[in-house]
């Protein structure tokens, strides 16, 4: 590691709160490739944690951001901005949900808005409890932490925000038993990301939908990670044929430009009204320009088709490793949201890959999480399979 890294690491240590422990510094990126400060090239199967879904420095997004940044960046939501309703219209039309959108800046903020939407609606009839799932992840703000089904993230930040409880995912009997006359929302990820790449059962989602209809409960889908094309459809729910009442989005929505969004279905589009909810930076012309460019890429560049094709290839090839090594249990996931499930911690395997200059994430304890750009070339998919194969061989020799 060079002097630039050392200087930067010292400055980081002295001045940045120690919530992260970065070991490598990237200085440049292009689609699924990254370069560090020493000029080493990496294959990137993390995509900034499922954010840069159109690859690093996507030309369409770069042009849109650059152009808009010279025209108008931010005027606040006290004024009309041409791009925000345009983006909202695009999302509503593509989703088929027929509702309305609120823009913000992150996944946690989108989920906060979704929780507020459900409470506002529910409180009108005396209900304000939300049921979420064990192993879920919804963000790091206080309410989204309360919704997150992993206690360790909440420890030390007591008192806990009331009004939340968790039930096991994909267990309809447990969910039904947990519903009370206070329940106003059921919140879930269609494919759990941080928890370990667990897809919902389609039958389970249909049953949840029917339960929500019967009890006038909002079905709240956190699509922050599994949405925006990651599963091969623009919205994750489109893969399952179940339409939720509200969807939260962020991560890939503007390919790395910070943005979050909350979309409510037709029945709930006017629940939050003037003065009830707001965000200074929500939906700036600049952020909307980036997000519109992402939508245009979906329309014109065959992104979703590529995601389906490469996802299928990767899942098929990776499944072969489950037959070859005892410690590889299976491959889970859909589209390009893929988990290689081990019977032991996956972090050392991610470490081996990093040494071979491939960036991959873990999820849960035992899952190697692969979320490459949806624009990945077939050559890069093949290279990834070779690198993972080599890493598994080393891993097998070590264990
Ligand atoms: C990343 C993530 C969040 C939180 O998003 P932030 O932008 O970090 O606040 C929420 N839900 C899911 C499913 C996520 O993957």
């Amino acid at each position: 590691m060079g002097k630039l890294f050392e200087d930067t690491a010292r400055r980081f240590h002295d001045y940045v709160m120690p919530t992260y422990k970065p070991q490598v510094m990237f200085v440049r990126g292009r689609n699924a490739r990254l370069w560090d400060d020493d000029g080493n090239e990496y294959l990137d199967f993390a995509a900034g944690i499922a954010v840069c879904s159109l690859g690093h420095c996507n030309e369409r997004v770069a042009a849109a951001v650059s152009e808009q940044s010279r025209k108008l960046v931010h005027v606040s939501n006290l004024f009309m901005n041409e791009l925000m309703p345009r983006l909202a219209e695009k999302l509503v039309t593509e989703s088929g949900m027929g509702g309305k959108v609120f823009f913000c800046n992150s996944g946690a903020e989108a989920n906060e808005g979704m929780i507020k939407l459900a409470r506002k609606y529910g409180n009108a009839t005396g209900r304000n409890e939300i049921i979420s799932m064990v192993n879920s992840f919804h963000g790091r703000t206080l309410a989204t932490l309360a919704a997150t089904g992993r206690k360790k993230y909440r420890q030390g930040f007591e008192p806990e925000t009331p009004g939340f409880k968790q039930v096991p995912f994909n267990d309809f009997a447990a969910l039904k038993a947990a519903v009370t006359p206070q329940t106003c929302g059921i919140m879930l990820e269609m494919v759990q990301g941080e928890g370990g790449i667990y897809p919902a059962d389609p039958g389970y989602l249909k049953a949840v939908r029917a339960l929500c209809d019967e009890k006038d409960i909002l079905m709240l889908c956190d699509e922050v990670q599994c949405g925006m094309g990651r599963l091969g459809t623009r919205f994750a729910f489109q893969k399952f044929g179940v339409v939720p009442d509200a969807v939260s989005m962020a991560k890939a929505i503007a390919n790395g430009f910070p943005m979050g969004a909350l979309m409510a279905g037709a029945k709930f589009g006017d629940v939050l009204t003037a003065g009830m909810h707001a965000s200074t930076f929500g939906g700036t012309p600049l952020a909307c320009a980036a997000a519109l460019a992402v939508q245009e890429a979906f329309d014109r560049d065959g992104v979703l088709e590529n995601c389906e094709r490469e996802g299928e290839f990767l899942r098929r090839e990776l499944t072969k490793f489950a037959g070859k090594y005892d410690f590889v249990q299976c491959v889970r996931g859909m589209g390009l949201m893929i988990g290689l499930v081990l019977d032991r911690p996956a972090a050392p395997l991610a470490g081996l890959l990093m040494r071979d200059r491939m960036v991959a994430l873990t999820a849960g304890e035992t899952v190697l999480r692969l979320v490459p750009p949806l624009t990945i070339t077939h050559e890069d998919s093949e290279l990834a399979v070779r690198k993972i194969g080599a890493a598994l061989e080393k891993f097998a020799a070590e264990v």
Side-chain angles (χ1 to χ4, degrees), residues 15 54 66 71 105 107 111 117 142 162 175-176 198 241 259 282 294-295 309 326 371 388:
Y15 297 111
L54 301 183
S66 151
K71 203 166 156 192
N105 309 287
N111 283 331
L117 174 79
L142 289 168
L175 175 63
K176 200 170 173 194
Y198 287 100
M259 176 181 250
V294 169
Q295 292 301 316
R309 193 170 53 240
D326 292 344
V371 285
I388 292 166

Side-chain angles (χ1 to χ4, degrees), residues 355-395:
R355 249 174 282 160
D356 192 27
R357 309 230 161 96
M358 173 170 167
V359 188
L361 304 165
T362 59
E365 275 290 296
T366 61
V367 180
L368 186 77
R369 173 170 37 160
L370 303 166
V371 285
L374 311 181
T375 52
I376 183 129
T377 63
H378 189 62
E379 291 69 36
D380 278 357
S381 295
E382 289 178 322
L383 179 59
V385 172
R386 286 201 298 278
K387 282 182 182 286
I388 292 166
L392 286 171
E393 204 169 305
K394 272 195 209 121
F395 197 55

Side-chain angles (χ1 to χ4, degrees), residues 213-229:
D213 287 339
E214 184 199 325
K215 308 251 186 207
D216 192 27
I217 293 168
L218 276 83
M219 183 174 178
L220 311 169
C221 283
D222 179 343
E223 293 205 4
V224 170
Q225 186 161 163
C226 64
M228 282 298 127

